[in-house]
Amino acid sequence: MRLKTVDGDVYFNSHLVSHVHLSSDRSLLTIHFVNGSAYGASTETQVETEAVAEFLHQLSDEKSGFVASGSELLNLRSALWVAIPDEGPMQIRSSDNRTRNFSVNDHERVRTFMSE
């Protein structure tokens, strides 16, 4: 997966990305990795904003393995476990020892993805 920056392209191994977070003021995209490190990308210029939007579009693709909740995308491929109840929010445990609740409406899509 590629993110264009003003300095050039940055490539990420998607299976090593734990989650991606866009700040509340949308000025910074932070990519968190399974080992605990992070990479930040600014959205101060129009070029950076468009590049981040394209990157987020890639991640939101149905087959990417990422699920969105608010300003955060979580990588199902890097999750330690995923609990999908018949009703209510899913619980996703990531390698940073956090369990997040996601109110994703399409549980069946996640079940299918996780069973592949």
Side-chain angles (χ1 to χ4, degrees), residues 56-93:
L56 292 173
H57 180 70
Q58 289 174 21
L59 293 181
S60 61
D61 180 75
E62 187 173 305
K63 297 181 183 191
S64 71
F66 285 80
V67 291
S69 178
S71 61
E72 189 171 49
L73 289 156
L74 190 64
N75 187 356
L76 294 173
R77 290 189 175 124
S78 70
L80 298 175
W81 54 262
V82 177
I84 306 172
D86 291 331
E87 293 183 19
M90 289 188 302
Q91 292 186 330
I92 302 171
R93 179 72 168 198

PDB file of all heavy atoms in Angstrom, residues 56-93:
ATOM      1  N   LEU A  56      -6.744   6.626   2.331  1.00  0.00           N
ATOM      2  CA  LEU A  56      -7.898   6.170   3.103  1.00  0.00           C
ATOM      3  C   LEU A  56      -8.909   5.458   2.209  1.00  0.00           C
ATOM      4  O   LEU A  56      -9.554   4.496   2.629  1.00  0.00           O
ATOM      5  CB  LEU A  56      -8.552   7.343   3.839  1.00  0.00           C
ATOM      6  CG  LEU A  56      -7.720   7.945   4.963  1.00  0.00           C
ATOM      7  CD1 LEU A  56      -8.380   9.203   5.499  1.00  0.00           C
ATOM      8  CD2 LEU A  56      -7.474   6.936   6.067  1.00  0.00           C
ATOM      9  N   HIS A  57      -9.033   5.912   0.984  1.00  0.00           N
ATOM     10  CA  HIS A  57      -9.916   5.237   0.025  1.00  0.00           C
ATOM     11  C   HIS A  57      -9.428   3.810  -0.241  1.00  0.00           C
ATOM     12  O   HIS A  57     -10.236   2.876  -0.298  1.00  0.00           O
ATOM     13  CB  HIS A  57      -9.993   6.043  -1.269  1.00  0.00           C
ATOM     14  CG  HIS A  57     -10.876   5.442  -2.305  1.00  0.00           C
ATOM     15  ND1 HIS A  57     -12.246   5.401  -2.183  1.00  0.00           N
ATOM     16  CD2 HIS A  57     -10.586   4.823  -3.471  1.00  0.00           C
ATOM     17  CE1 HIS A  57     -12.757   4.788  -3.236  1.00  0.00           C
ATOM     18  NE2 HIS A  57     -11.769   4.431  -4.030  1.00  0.00           N
ATOM     19  N   GLN A  58      -8.119   3.633  -0.396  1.00  0.00           N
ATOM     20  CA  GLN A  58      -7.547   2.299  -0.581  1.00  0.00           C
ATOM     21  C   GLN A  58      -7.880   1.400   0.608  1.00  0.00           C
ATOM     22  O   GLN A  58      -8.250   0.239   0.446  1.00  0.00           O
ATOM     23  CB  GLN A  58      -6.019   2.356  -0.714  1.00  0.00           C
ATOM     24  CG  GLN A  58      -5.495   2.942  -1.981  1.00  0.00           C
ATOM     25  CD  GLN A  58      -3.975   3.060  -1.912  1.00  0.00           C
ATOM     26  OE1 GLN A  58      -3.313   2.384  -1.127  1.00  0.00           O
ATOM     27  NE2 GLN A  58      -3.422   3.933  -2.734  1.00  0.00           N
ATOM     28  N   LEU A  59      -7.727   1.947   1.802  1.00  0.00           N
ATOM     29  CA  LEU A  59      -7.967   1.162   3.014  1.00  0.00           C
ATOM     30  C   LEU A  59      -9.435   0.829   3.213  1.00  0.00           C
ATOM     31  O   LEU A  59      -9.764  -0.180   3.840  1.00  0.00           O
ATOM     32  CB  LEU A  59      -7.450   1.907   4.245  1.00  0.00           C
ATOM     33  CG  LEU A  59      -5.951   2.094   4.341  1.00  0.00           C
ATOM     34  CD1 LEU A  59      -5.609   2.839   5.626  1.00  0.00           C
ATOM     35  CD2 LEU A  59      -5.222   0.772   4.293  1.00  0.00           C
ATOM     36  N   SER A  60     -10.314   1.655   2.711  1.00  0.00           N
ATOM     37  CA  SER A  60     -11.738   1.408   2.923  1.00  0.00           C
ATOM     38  C   SER A  60     -12.321   0.463   1.880  1.00  0.00           C
ATOM     39  O   SER A  60     -13.511   0.133   1.948  1.00  0.00           O
ATOM     40  CB  SER A  60     -12.513   2.733   2.930  1.00  0.00           C
ATOM     41  OG  SER A  60     -12.379   3.391   1.686  1.00  0.00           O
ATOM     42  N   ASP A  61     -11.506  -0.004   0.955  1.00  0.00           N
ATOM     43  CA  ASP A  61     -11.962  -0.985  -0.013  1.00  0.00           C
ATOM     44  C   ASP A  61     -12.464  -2.225   0.722  1.00  0.00           C
ATOM     45  O   ASP A  61     -11.896  -2.644   1.724  1.00  0.00           O
ATOM     46  CB  ASP A  61     -10.824  -1.360  -0.958  1.00  0.00           C
ATOM     47  CG  ASP A  61     -11.252  -2.374  -1.997  1.00  0.00           C
ATOM     48  OD1 ASP A  61     -11.960  -1.993  -2.933  1.00  0.00           O
ATOM     49  OD2 ASP A  61     -10.869  -3.559  -1.844  1.00  0.00           O
ATOM     50  N   GLU A  62     -13.519  -2.823   0.224  1.00  0.00           N
ATOM     51  CA  GLU A  62     -14.158  -3.967   0.883  1.00  0.00           C
ATOM     52  C   GLU A  62     -13.207  -5.135   1.119  1.00  0.00           C
ATOM     53  O   GLU A  62     -13.314  -5.852   2.101  1.00  0.00           O
ATOM     54  CB  GLU A  62     -15.348  -4.432   0.054  1.00  0.00           C
ATOM     55  CG  GLU A  62     -16.171  -5.491   0.712  1.00  0.00           C
ATOM     56  CD  GLU A  62     -17.426  -5.806  -0.055  1.00  0.00           C
ATOM     57  OE1 GLU A  62     -18.194  -4.862  -0.322  1.00  0.00           O
ATOM     58  OE2 GLU A  62     -17.622  -6.982  -0.399  1.00  0.00           O
ATOM     59  N   LYS A  63     -12.241  -5.333   0.229  1.00  0.00           N
ATOM     60  CA  LYS A  63     -11.333  -6.467   0.339  1.00  0.00           C
ATOM     61  C   LYS A  63     -10.015  -6.125   1.032  1.00  0.00           C
ATOM     62  O   LYS A  63      -9.128  -6.965   1.115  1.00  0.00           O
ATOM     63  CB  LYS A  63     -11.059  -7.041  -1.045  1.00  0.00           C
ATOM     64  CG  LYS A  63     -12.311  -7.579  -1.680  1.00  0.00           C
ATOM     65  CD  LYS A  63     -12.074  -8.159  -3.016  1.00  0.00           C
ATOM     66  CE  LYS A  63     -13.423  -8.592  -3.567  1.00  0.00           C
ATOM     67  NZ  LYS A  63     -13.368  -9.388  -4.717  1.00  0.00           N
ATOM     68  N   SER A  64      -9.887  -4.914   1.556  1.00  0.00           N
ATOM     69  CA  SER A  64      -8.633  -4.489   2.171  1.00  0.00           C
ATOM     70  C   SER A  64      -8.382  -5.140   3.522  1.00  0.00           C
ATOM     71  O   SER A  64      -7.247  -5.255   3.958  1.00  0.00           O
ATOM     72  CB  SER A  64      -8.620  -2.969   2.356  1.00  0.00           C
ATOM     73  OG  SER A  64      -9.534  -2.593   3.377  1.00  0.00           O
ATOM     74  N   GLY A  65      -9.449  -5.531   4.216  1.00  0.00           N
ATOM     75  CA  GLY A  65      -9.298  -6.105   5.541  1.00  0.00           C
ATOM     76  C   GLY A  65      -9.407  -5.084   6.656  1.00  0.00           C
ATOM     77  O   GLY A  65      -9.302  -5.425   7.824  1.00  0.00           O
ATOM     78  N   PHE A  66      -9.633  -3.828   6.317  1.00  0.00           N
ATOM     79  CA  PHE A  66      -9.782  -2.786   7.312  1.00  0.00           C
ATOM     80  C   PHE A  66     -11.255  -2.489   7.532  1.00  0.00           C
ATOM     81  O   PHE A  66     -12.047  -2.524   6.591  1.00  0.00           O
ATOM     82  CB  PHE A  66      -9.082  -1.497   6.854  1.00  0.00           C
ATOM     83  CG  PHE A  66      -7.584  -1.547   6.953  1.00  0.00           C
ATOM     84  CD1 PHE A  66      -6.834  -2.188   5.981  1.00  0.00           C
ATOM     85  CD2 PHE A  66      -6.913  -0.949   8.009  1.00  0.00           C
ATOM     86  CE1 PHE A  66      -5.456  -2.239   6.055  1.00  0.00           C
ATOM     87  CE2 PHE A  66      -5.540  -0.997   8.093  1.00  0.00           C
ATOM     88  CZ  PHE A  66      -4.804  -1.643   7.115  1.00  0.00           C
ATOM     89  N   VAL A  67     -11.627  -2.231   8.790  1.00  0.00           N
ATOM     90  CA  VAL A  67     -12.983  -1.788   9.109  1.00  0.00           C
ATOM     91  C   VAL A  67     -12.884  -0.399   9.716  1.00  0.00           C
ATOM     92  O   VAL A  67     -11.927  -0.083  10.420  1.00  0.00           O
ATOM     93  CB  VAL A  67     -13.717  -2.757  10.076  1.00  0.00           C
ATOM     94  CG1 VAL A  67     -14.023  -4.063   9.389  1.00  0.00           C
ATOM     95  CG2 VAL A  67     -12.935  -2.977  11.344  1.00  0.00           C
ATOM     96  N   ALA A  68     -13.886   0.416   9.430  1.00  0.00           N
ATOM     97  CA  ALA A  68     -13.872   1.813   9.864  1.00  0.00           C
ATOM     98  C   ALA A  68     -14.859   2.033  10.995  1.00  0.00           C
ATOM     99  O   ALA A  68     -15.941   1.455  11.020  1.00  0.00           O
ATOM    100  CB  ALA A  68     -14.220   2.717   8.699  1.00  0.00           C
ATOM    101  N   SER A  69     -14.438   2.889  11.902  1.00  0.00           N
ATOM    102  CA  SER A  69     -15.316   3.351  12.959  1.00  0.00           C
ATOM    103  C   SER A  69     -14.904   4.785  13.286  1.00  0.00           C
ATOM    104  O   SER A  69     -13.829   5.017  13.834  1.00  0.00           O
ATOM    105  CB  SER A  69     -15.190   2.475  14.195  1.00  0.00           C
ATOM    106  OG  SER A  69     -16.014   2.973  15.228  1.00  0.00           O
ATOM    107  N   GLY A  70     -15.729   5.713  12.893  1.00  0.00           N
ATOM    108  CA  GLY A  70     -15.393   7.113  13.117  1.00  0.00           C
ATOM    109  C   GLY A  70     -14.149   7.502  12.341  1.00  0.00           C
ATOM    110  O   GLY A  70     -14.064   7.296  11.137  1.00  0.00           O
ATOM    111  N   SER A  71     -13.148   7.993  13.036  1.00  0.00           N
ATOM    112  CA  SER A  71     -11.917   8.459  12.392  1.00  0.00           C
ATOM    113  C   SER A  71     -10.810   7.416  12.438  1.00  0.00           C
ATOM    114  O   SER A  71      -9.644   7.731  12.255  1.00  0.00           O
ATOM    115  CB  SER A  71     -11.445   9.750  13.056  1.00  0.00           C
ATOM    116  OG  SER A  71     -11.183   9.506  14.424  1.00  0.00           O
ATOM    117  N   GLU A  72     -11.177   6.171  12.703  1.00  0.00           N
ATOM    118  CA  GLU A  72     -10.176   5.118  12.831  1.00  0.00           C
ATOM    119  C   GLU A  72     -10.502   3.939  11.918  1.00  0.00           C
ATOM    120  O   GLU A  72     -11.653   3.575  11.742  1.00  0.00           O
ATOM    121  CB  GLU A  72     -10.130   4.640  14.288  1.00  0.00           C
ATOM    122  CG  GLU A  72      -9.005   3.713  14.594  1.00  0.00           C
ATOM    123  CD  GLU A  72      -8.875   3.451  16.084  1.00  0.00           C
ATOM    124  OE1 GLU A  72      -9.884   3.139  16.734  1.00  0.00           O
ATOM    125  OE2 GLU A  72      -7.758   3.575  16.580  1.00  0.00           O
ATOM    126  N   LEU A  73      -9.461   3.371  11.333  1.00  0.00           N
ATOM    127  CA  LEU A  73      -9.563   2.145  10.541  1.00  0.00           C
ATOM    128  C   LEU A  73      -8.719   1.097  11.231  1.00  0.00           C
ATOM    129  O   LEU A  73      -7.560   1.338  11.539  1.00  0.00           O
ATOM    130  CB  LEU A  73      -9.044   2.368   9.126  1.00  0.00           C
ATOM    131  CG  LEU A  73      -9.899   3.229   8.213  1.00  0.00           C
ATOM    132  CD1 LEU A  73      -9.063   3.839   7.110  1.00  0.00           C
ATOM    133  CD2 LEU A  73     -10.996   2.380   7.622  1.00  0.00           C
ATOM    134  N   LEU A  74      -9.295  -0.073  11.468  1.00  0.00           N
ATOM    135  CA  LEU A  74      -8.581  -1.143  12.153  1.00  0.00           C
ATOM    136  C   LEU A  74      -8.369  -2.297  11.178  1.00  0.00           C
ATOM    137  O   LEU A  74      -9.276  -2.683  10.454  1.00  0.00           O
ATOM    138  CB  LEU A  74      -9.372  -1.622  13.360  1.00  0.00           C
ATOM    139  CG  LEU A  74      -8.654  -2.570  14.304  1.00  0.00           C
ATOM    140  CD1 LEU A  74      -7.469  -1.888  14.958  1.00  0.00           C
ATOM    141  CD2 LEU A  74      -9.602  -3.062  15.360  1.00  0.00           C
ATOM    142  N   ASN A  75      -7.164  -2.838  11.177  1.00  0.00           N
ATOM    143  CA  ASN A  75      -6.796  -3.912  10.265  1.00  0.00           C
ATOM    144  C   ASN A  75      -7.179  -5.261  10.863  1.00  0.00           C
ATOM    145  O   ASN A  75      -6.601  -5.706  11.849  1.00  0.00           O
ATOM    146  CB  ASN A  75      -5.289  -3.858   9.999  1.00  0.00           C
ATOM    147  CG  ASN A  75      -4.840  -4.818   8.945  1.00  0.00           C
ATOM    148  OD1 ASN A  75      -5.620  -5.602   8.423  1.00  0.00           O
ATOM    149  ND2 ASN A  75      -3.566  -4.757   8.616  1.00  0.00           N
ATOM    150  N   LEU A  76      -8.136  -5.928  10.249  1.00  0.00           N
ATOM    151  CA  LEU A  76      -8.561  -7.243  10.730  1.00  0.00           C
ATOM    152  C   LEU A  76      -7.461  -8.285  10.564  1.00  0.00           C
ATOM    153  O   LEU A  76      -7.385  -9.234  11.330  1.00  0.00           O
ATOM    154  CB  LEU A  76      -9.819  -7.696   9.984  1.00  0.00           C
ATOM    155  CG  LEU A  76     -11.080  -6.879  10.236  1.00  0.00           C
ATOM    156  CD1 LEU A  76     -12.191  -7.340   9.309  1.00  0.00           C
ATOM    157  CD2 LEU A  76     -11.494  -6.951  11.683  1.00  0.00           C
ATOM    158  N   ARG A  77      -6.595  -8.113   9.563  1.00  0.00           N
ATOM    159  CA  ARG A  77      -5.521  -9.087   9.325  1.00  0.00           C
ATOM    160  C   ARG A  77      -4.480  -9.072  10.444  1.00  0.00           C
ATOM    161  O   ARG A  77      -3.795 -10.056  10.652  1.00  0.00           O
ATOM    162  CB  ARG A  77      -4.837  -8.794   8.004  1.00  0.00           C
ATOM    163  CG  ARG A  77      -5.705  -9.106   6.829  1.00  0.00           C
ATOM    164  CD  ARG A  77      -4.957  -9.010   5.527  1.00  0.00           C
ATOM    165  NE  ARG A  77      -5.849  -9.442   4.468  1.00  0.00           N
ATOM    166  CZ  ARG A  77      -6.153  -8.708   3.420  1.00  0.00           C
ATOM    167  NH1 ARG A  77      -5.612  -7.537   3.257  1.00  0.00           N
ATOM    168  NH2 ARG A  77      -6.981  -9.173   2.509  1.00  0.00           N
ATOM    169  N   SER A  78      -4.357  -7.964  11.146  1.00  0.00           N
ATOM    170  CA  SER A  78      -3.368  -7.891  12.223  1.00  0.00           C
ATOM    171  C   SER A  78      -3.992  -8.099  13.598  1.00  0.00           C
ATOM    172  O   SER A  78      -3.299  -8.062  14.605  1.00  0.00           O
ATOM    173  CB  SER A  78      -2.639  -6.542  12.191  1.00  0.00           C
ATOM    174  OG  SER A  78      -3.502  -5.499  12.587  1.00  0.00           O
ATOM    175  N   ALA A  79      -5.301  -8.333  13.642  1.00  0.00           N
ATOM    176  CA  ALA A  79      -5.993  -8.517  14.924  1.00  0.00           C
ATOM    177  C   ALA A  79      -5.605  -9.842  15.561  1.00  0.00           C
ATOM    178  O   ALA A  79      -5.385 -10.837  14.885  1.00  0.00           O
ATOM    179  CB  ALA A  79      -7.504  -8.470  14.714  1.00  0.00           C
ATOM    180  N   LEU A  80      -5.515  -9.839  16.890  1.00  0.00           N
ATOM    181  CA  LEU A  80      -5.268 -11.076  17.621  1.00  0.00           C
ATOM    182  C   LEU A  80      -6.521 -11.942  17.629  1.00  0.00           C
ATOM    183  O   LEU A  80      -6.443 -13.154  17.493  1.00  0.00           O
ATOM    184  CB  LEU A  80      -4.828 -10.768  19.048  1.00  0.00           C
ATOM    185  CG  LEU A  80      -3.523  -9.971  19.171  1.00  0.00           C
ATOM    186  CD1 LEU A  80      -3.260  -9.630  20.629  1.00  0.00           C
ATOM    187  CD2 LEU A  80      -2.370 -10.747  18.579  1.00  0.00           C
ATOM    188  N   TRP A  81      -7.661 -11.310  17.816  1.00  0.00           N
ATOM    189  CA  TRP A  81      -8.937 -12.008  17.722  1.00  0.00           C
ATOM    190  C   TRP A  81     -10.050 -11.015  17.416  1.00  0.00           C
ATOM    191  O   TRP A  81      -9.917  -9.826  17.666  1.00  0.00           O
ATOM    192  CB  TRP A  81      -9.262 -12.836  18.951  1.00  0.00           C
ATOM    193  CG  TRP A  81      -9.227 -12.139  20.280  1.00  0.00           C
ATOM    194  CD1 TRP A  81      -8.208 -12.143  21.189  1.00  0.00           C
ATOM    195  CD2 TRP A  81     -10.272 -11.356  20.886  1.00  0.00           C
ATOM    196  NE1 TRP A  81      -8.547 -11.411  22.299  1.00  0.00           N
ATOM    197  CE2 TRP A  81      -9.811 -10.921  22.144  1.00  0.00           C
ATOM    198  CE3 TRP A  81     -11.540 -10.978  20.491  1.00  0.00           C
ATOM    199  CZ2 TRP A  81     -10.571 -10.120  22.993  1.00  0.00           C
ATOM    200  CZ3 TRP A  81     -12.314 -10.184  21.324  1.00  0.00           C
ATOM    201  CH2 TRP A  81     -11.807  -9.781  22.572  1.00  0.00           C
ATOM    202  N   VAL A  82     -11.141 -11.564  16.861  1.00  0.00           N
ATOM    203  CA  VAL A  82     -12.325 -10.769  16.532  1.00  0.00           C
ATOM    204  C   VAL A  82     -13.542 -11.523  17.051  1.00  0.00           C
ATOM    205  O   VAL A  82     -13.722 -12.697  16.739  1.00  0.00           O
ATOM    206  CB  VAL A  82     -12.460 -10.564  15.000  1.00  0.00           C
ATOM    207  CG1 VAL A  82     -13.736  -9.806  14.666  1.00  0.00           C
ATOM    208  CG2 VAL A  82     -11.235  -9.860  14.435  1.00  0.00           C
ATOM    209  N   ALA A  83     -14.350 -10.866  17.874  1.00  0.00           N
ATOM    210  CA  ALA A  83     -15.587 -11.458  18.384  1.00  0.00           C
ATOM    211  C   ALA A  83     -16.762 -10.787  17.661  1.00  0.00           C
ATOM    212  O   ALA A  83     -16.915  -9.572  17.712  1.00  0.00           O
ATOM    213  CB  ALA A  83     -15.705 -11.252  19.887  1.00  0.00           C
ATOM    214  N   ILE A  84     -17.557 -11.602  16.982  1.00  0.00           N
ATOM    215  CA  ILE A  84     -18.679 -11.080  16.205  1.00  0.00           C
ATOM    216  C   ILE A  84     -19.976 -11.628  16.793  1.00  0.00           C
ATOM    217  O   ILE A  84     -20.350 -12.778  16.530  1.00  0.00           O
ATOM    218  CB  ILE A  84     -18.560 -11.484  14.724  1.00  0.00           C
ATOM    219  CG1 ILE A  84     -17.199 -11.069  14.169  1.00  0.00           C
ATOM    220  CG2 ILE A  84     -19.685 -10.853  13.910  1.00  0.00           C
ATOM    221  CD1 ILE A  84     -16.914 -11.580  12.781  1.00  0.00           C
ATOM    222  N   PRO A  85     -20.658 -10.833  17.602  1.00  0.00           N
ATOM    223  CA  PRO A  85     -21.920 -11.309  18.185  1.00  0.00           C
ATOM    224  C   PRO A  85     -23.034 -11.269  17.144  1.00  0.00           C
ATOM    225  O   PRO A  85     -22.910 -10.624  16.098  1.00  0.00           O
ATOM    226  CB  PRO A  85     -22.178 -10.298  19.298  1.00  0.00           C
ATOM    227  CG  PRO A  85     -21.555  -9.038  18.803  1.00  0.00           C
ATOM    228  CD  PRO A  85     -20.336  -9.482  18.030  1.00  0.00           C
ATOM    229  N   ASP A  86     -24.120 -11.968  17.426  1.00  0.00           N
ATOM    230  CA  ASP A  86     -25.268 -11.927  16.523  1.00  0.00           C
ATOM    231  C   ASP A  86     -25.860 -10.523  16.454  1.00  0.00           C
ATOM    232  O   ASP A  86     -26.333 -10.094  15.410  1.00  0.00           O
ATOM    233  CB  ASP A  86     -26.336 -12.920  16.963  1.00  0.00           C
ATOM    234  CG  ASP A  86     -25.874 -14.360  16.769  1.00  0.00           C
ATOM    235  OD1 ASP A  86     -25.056 -14.598  15.855  1.00  0.00           O
ATOM    236  OD2 ASP A  86     -26.327 -15.223  17.530  1.00  0.00           O
ATOM    237  N   GLU A  87     -25.805  -9.818  17.561  1.00  0.00           N
ATOM    238  CA  GLU A  87     -26.293  -8.439  17.615  1.00  0.00           C
ATOM    239  C   GLU A  87     -25.310  -7.610  18.420  1.00  0.00           C
ATOM    240  O   GLU A  87     -24.649  -8.103  19.324  1.00  0.00           O
ATOM    241  CB  GLU A  87     -27.664  -8.377  18.278  1.00  0.00           C
ATOM    242  CG  GLU A  87     -28.756  -9.036  17.470  1.00  0.00           C
ATOM    243  CD  GLU A  87     -30.112  -8.894  18.137  1.00  0.00           C
ATOM    244  OE1 GLU A  87     -30.274  -8.025  19.000  1.00  0.00           O
ATOM    245  OE2 GLU A  87     -31.005  -9.677  17.784  1.00  0.00           O
ATOM    246  N   GLY A  88     -25.213  -6.342  18.094  1.00  0.00           N
ATOM    247  CA  GLY A  88     -24.347  -5.433  18.827  1.00  0.00           C
ATOM    248  C   GLY A  88     -22.978  -5.281  18.188  1.00  0.00           C
ATOM    249  O   GLY A  88     -22.697  -5.872  17.143  1.00  0.00           O
ATOM    250  N   PRO A  89     -22.121  -4.503  18.835  1.00  0.00           N
ATOM    251  CA  PRO A  89     -20.820  -4.191  18.240  1.00  0.00           C
ATOM    252  C   PRO A  89     -19.851  -5.373  18.301  1.00  0.00           C
ATOM    253  O   PRO A  89     -19.910  -6.196  19.205  1.00  0.00           O
ATOM    254  CB  PRO A  89     -20.305  -3.039  19.095  1.00  0.00           C
ATOM    255  CG  PRO A  89     -20.998  -3.190  20.400  1.00  0.00           C
ATOM    256  CD  PRO A  89     -22.336  -3.787  20.085  1.00  0.00           C
ATOM    257  N   MET A  90     -18.985  -5.422  17.299  1.00  0.00           N
ATOM    258  CA  MET A  90     -17.904  -6.409  17.293  1.00  0.00           C
ATOM    259  C   MET A  90     -16.823  -5.949  18.256  1.00  0.00           C
ATOM    260  O   MET A  90     -16.674  -4.756  18.512  1.00  0.00           O
ATOM    261  CB  MET A  90     -17.276  -6.502  15.900  1.00  0.00           C
ATOM    262  CG  MET A  90     -18.125  -7.145  14.870  1.00  0.00           C
ATOM    263  SD  MET A  90     -17.223  -7.407  13.329  1.00  0.00           S
ATOM    264  CE  MET A  90     -16.710  -5.773  12.910  1.00  0.00           C
ATOM    265  N   GLN A  91     -16.069  -6.894  18.777  1.00  0.00           N
ATOM    266  CA  GLN A  91     -14.895  -6.587  19.581  1.00  0.00           C
ATOM    267  C   GLN A  91     -13.677  -7.076  18.823  1.00  0.00           C
ATOM    268  O   GLN A  91     -13.647  -8.218  18.365  1.00  0.00           O
ATOM    269  CB  GLN A  91     -14.965  -7.257  20.944  1.00  0.00           C
ATOM    270  CG  GLN A  91     -16.048  -6.697  21.821  1.00  0.00           C
ATOM    271  CD  GLN A  91     -15.979  -7.308  23.206  1.00  0.00           C
ATOM    272  OE1 GLN A  91     -15.568  -8.439  23.387  1.00  0.00           O
ATOM    273  NE2 GLN A  91     -16.394  -6.527  24.186  1.00  0.00           N
ATOM    274  N   ILE A  92     -12.701  -6.195  18.703  1.00  0.00           N
ATOM    275  CA  ILE A  92     -11.486  -6.527  17.981  1.00  0.00           C
ATOM    276  C   ILE A  92     -10.302  -6.260  18.894  1.00  0.00           C
ATOM    277  O   ILE A  92     -10.116  -5.149  19.376  1.00  0.00           O
ATOM    278  CB  ILE A  92     -11.369  -5.698  16.689  1.00  0.00           C
ATOM    279  CG1 ILE A  92     -12.594  -5.963  15.808  1.00  0.00           C
ATOM    280  CG2 ILE A  92     -10.084  -6.032  15.952  1.00  0.00           C
ATOM    281  CD1 ILE A  92     -12.710  -5.065  14.611  1.00  0.00           C
ATOM    282  N   ARG A  93      -9.522  -7.299  19.142  1.00  0.00           N
ATOM    283  CA  ARG A  93      -8.343  -7.194  20.014  1.00  0.00           C
ATOM    284  C   ARG A  93      -7.117  -7.051  19.128  1.00  0.00           C
ATOM    285  O   ARG A  93      -6.861  -7.871  18.257  1.00  0.00           O
ATOM    286  CB  ARG A  93      -8.222  -8.449  20.871  1.00  0.00           C
ATOM    287  CG  ARG A  93      -7.042  -8.481  21.786  1.00  0.00           C
ATOM    288  CD  ARG A  93      -7.218  -7.523  22.940  1.00  0.00           C
ATOM    289  NE  ARG A  93      -6.198  -7.774  23.942  1.00  0.00           N
ATOM    290  CZ  ARG A  93      -6.282  -7.356  25.170  1.00  0.00           C
ATOM    291  NH1 ARG A  93      -7.327  -6.680  25.572  1.00  0.00           N
ATOM    292  NH2 ARG A  93      -5.327  -7.611  26.015  1.00  0.00           N
TER     293      ARG A  93
END
